[in-house]
Amino acid sequence: QKEVEQNSGPLSVPEGAIASLNCTYSDRGSQSFFWYRQYSGKSPELIMFIYSNGDKEDGRFTAQLNKASQYVSLLIRDSQPSDSATYLCAAYGQNFVFGPGTRLSVLP
Amino acid sequence: KAGVTQTPRYLIKTRGQQVTLSCSPISGHRSVSWYQQTPGQGLQFLFEYFSETQRNKGNFPGRFSGRQFSNSRSEMNVSTLELGDSALYLCASSLELDEQYFGPGTRLTVT
């Protein structure tokens, strides 16, 4: 069974801090990895994707991938209350496998 | 560019009935995937269509089926509805087989 695991949270950080979200995956055949943000009652929104080992930065977001450890992370710098949402990690091999999501709460 | 659209947005059905949901992908996208999202199970993959062919299928019973038309629009059908089928059904489209963009979803309630 191909799985993606995430800490369900909630993860609470103060406004302006760095939020760190982690994800592990079981399928070594996974080729690409995605982070989605989902606000309550809304559909998931693609934030970042990463294919290669290392870091990828986009504005306040940095995705990190370590294929040897089968580990993906998302860092959110200068966290804002509007970042409060559930963050879904997904791994793509033959199809998408999503983690259960981590609920992030940014406190003003 | 218009996003992924799904119709209807909300639906109430009775046990034993069947339902058809529709998804129109982003223009130019050939891949359409369907997901079921529930509070208990999270986001679960149903199936994926690419150029009218089903490429992948998740672990759902045969009551769940789908198809894709030549214009990339897709439909999914659930027959003999059960209470446990109550969920948010999400459609996602992609240009290639990655970078999926989700539609707003169809909220199905089975009573």
Side-chain angles (χ1 to χ4, degrees):
Chain A
Q1 178 98 5
K2 299 171 184 176
E3 293 182 339
V4 173
E5 296 185 352
Q6 298 179 254
N7 188 320
S8 61
L11 171 66
S12 295
V13 300
E15 183 175 355
I18 296 175
S20 178
L21 305 165
N22 305 313
C23 166
T24 58
Y25 60 95
S26 63
D27 181 15
R28 286 196 173 273
S30 299
Q31 301 148 13
S32 46
F33 305 87
F34 302 82
W35 284 99
Y36 287 84
R37 176 176 61 199
Q38 187 172 25
Y39 293 112
S40 180
K42 300 293 186 182
S43 59
E45 171 193 9
L46 180 64
I47 298 175
M48 294 276 297
F49 56 89
I50 186 167
Y51 306 128
S52 304
N53 277 330
D55 295 358
K56 179 182 179 182
E57 187 175 317
D58 183 0
R60 296 187 297 113
F61 299 97
T62 298
Q64 299 174 317
L65 173 61
N66 184 325
K67 290 187 177 180
S69 300
Q70 296 177 248
Y71 175 87
V72 191
S73 67
L74 179 70
L75 300 178
I76 306 175
R77 289 181 299 281
D78 188 24
S79 295
Q80 301 298 308
S82 59
D83 294 326
S84 298
T86 296
Y87 289 79
L88 301 170
C89 172
Y92 181 80
Q94 292 183 322
N95 54 263
F96 277 86
V97 179
F98 282 81
T102 297
R103 192 154 52 92
L104 172 66
S105 178
V106 180
L107 307 174
Chain B
K1 184 182 277 191
V4 179
T5 59
Q6 291 187 244
T7 57
R9 294 292 311 278
Y10 302 91
L11 204 51
I12 300 175
K13 289 286 189 177
T14 304
R15 271 182 302 175
Q17 289 185 316
Q18 74 165 16
V19 65
T20 299
L21 311 181
S22 180
C23 170
S24 292
I26 292 170
S27 178
H29 285 194
R30 294 185 295 167
S31 173
V32 173
S33 296
W34 288 90
Y35 295 86
Q36 181 195 66
Q37 188 173 37
T38 59
Q41 298 297 318
L43 200 59
Q44 292 188 289
F45 173 73
L46 279 157
F47 29 67
E48 182 214 350
Y49 286 88
F50 185 85
S51 294
E52 301 181 66
T53 301
Q54 186 181 89
R55 291 179 60 97
N56 285 297
K57 191 177 190 303
N59 295 324
F60 279 81
R63 300 185 297 107
F64 292 82
S65 63
R67 60 178 174 169
Q68 186 179 33
F69 302 96
S70 59
N71 61 359
S72 293
R73 189 178 71 85
S74 178
E75 289 181 346
M76 69 163 281
N77 183 277
V78 188
S79 63
T80 319
L81 284 166
E82 301 176 359
L83 294 178
D85 296 333
S86 295
L88 179 67
Y89 289 89
L90 290 160
C91 161
S93 79
S94 60
L95 184 60
E96 300 295 334
L97 297 178
D98 58 7
E99 293 186 47
Q100 291 188 329
Y101 297 90
F102 283 87
T106 294
R107 172 90 44 199
L108 172 64
T109 301
V110 182
T111 62

